[in-house]
Amino acid sequence: SLITLQLAPVPAFVAMRANMNSLAQILFFLFVNTAAAFLFVPPQQQPQELQLGYATHRRLPAVVSGPPSFSSLQSSGSDDEVTTAEEPEEVLLRMNLSINAGADPDAARLALREACRGFPFAAVLPVQPLTYLPSPTGVKVTFLRKKTEEKGSQDGGIDFSVEFTDVAAPDADDEIGVKTFGSGRRIQLLSSRISEGQTVSKMFSEKMVITEFAKRIGVATESPGALDNMVSVDSIFHKWMD
């Protein structure tokens, strides 16, 4: 009969095999844990900078714009450099007057201002509601209308101003082309449109006031302190001259 010999395992070989199996299991578990850490990171464990970058990317919309305009480049400075230039009001009447010999210039200027303040504007425009109040240099006439929620009560007006002016060269044309004669100190009367609150042109009212004012202001009187005894009209121009 066959005799089977069964050799007992060597203790050293068995111990080495057990150690290799344990090492393989350890490496396998390390690999699995590392892969899970990279693939299944909870949101709260993600790096903060990644979360912020993602959120910022989602909040900012894509904007497509061309090159900056010239106006934007001009206004790129400080707020102190940004100024709004107001257009000057249109001059409706310009009158140059010379001071008569022996007349006091300050008294003549004051007399002309008082003549403007005492002009009967309401009689010239009996239908047009208006007010006229003294100003430091003359008088301001304000046209009125019925006040509403959309519009105020002011509907434009006219500003009459009297100041000194110097004529340097004889026989010179002034800035609006009106011939002046002689040289020296003069008085200039300016009537300018007040466009504040004006939504509809007040051309008719302005014409009536200016034409009547230009006719009456030079009327001679016999009183000793009359205006015509202190000044003489050298040149006159208004918008509605023929």
Side-chain angles (χ1 to χ4, degrees):
S1 61
L2 297 176
I3 299 174
T4 303
L5 296 178
Q6 184 176 5
L7 299 178
V10 181
F13 175 78
V14 174
M16 184 175 11
R17 185 177 179 182
N19 292 335
M20 292 179 64
N21 292 335
S22 300
L23 181 60
Q25 293 178 357
I26 293 174
L27 292 176
F28 176 76
F29 285 118
L30 288 175
F31 174 77
V32 172
N33 292 334
T34 304
F38 281 98
L39 296 177
F40 304 100
V41 180
Q44 63 272 16
Q45 293 182 2
Q46 293 180 0
Q48 186 175 3
E49 59 271 17
L50 293 180
Q51 291 183 356
L52 293 177
Y54 177 75
T56 304
H57 175 72
R58 290 294 297 275
R59 284 199 301 267
L60 293 178
V63 178
V64 179
S65 61
S69 60
F70 180 73
S71 59
S72 63
L73 294 177
Q74 281 186 320
S75 61
S76 59
S78 61
D79 294 339
D80 297 336
E81 298 177 355
V82 179
T83 57
T84 56
E86 296 183 358
E87 295 184 0
E89 298 285 4
E90 182 179 1
V91 175
L92 305 177
L93 169 67
R94 187 190 304 272
M95 184 181 297
N96 294 314
L97 305 98
S98 60
I99 303 172
N100 295 339
D104 180 67
D106 293 328
R109 181 179 63 171
L110 179 60
L112 185 54
R113 288 176 176 175
E114 291 298 327
C116 294
R117 294 164 183 164
F119 188 80
F121 296 102
V124 176
L125 292 174
V127 180
Q128 169 67 55
L130 57 84
T131 60
Y132 46 100
L133 299 175
S135 67
T137 59
V139 63
K140 286 189 176 182
V141 180
T142 303
F143 301 136
L144 302 177
R145 64 167 169 247
K146 185 177 180 180
K147 186 177 181 181
T148 63
E149 295 181 358
E150 296 80 12
K151 302 177 183 178
S153 59
Q154 182 173 348
D155 193 14
I158 305 175
D159 181 17
F160 292 83
S161 178
V162 178
E163 287 291 357
F164 288 121
T165 182
D166 293 327
V167 180
D171 299 335
D173 291 341
D174 65 10
E175 59 190 47
I176 60 173
V178 178
K179 182 74 71 176
T180 58
F181 304 95
S183 62
R185 200 177 197 188
R186 282 186 169 82
I187 298 177
Q188 187 175 75
L189 186 152
L190 290 179
S191 300
S192 304
R193 172 182 293 125
I194 301 176
S195 58
E196 181 181 356
Q198 189 177 100
T199 56
V200 180
S201 175
K202 307 296 291 185
M203 190 73 70
F204 176 78
S205 298
E206 293 171 348
K207 179 181 179 181
M208 293 294 297
V209 170
I210 293 300
T211 52
E212 284 298 317
F213 183 88
K215 287 190 297 185
R216 297 189 190 186
I217 199 67
V219 175
T221 60
E222 297 180 356
S223 59
L227 178 63
D228 59 292
N229 294 328
M230 291 185 284
V231 296
S232 299
V233 177
D234 287 342
S235 63
I236 184 172
F237 168 84
H238 63 76
K239 187 178 178 66
W240 298 274
M241 289 185 67
D242 297 333

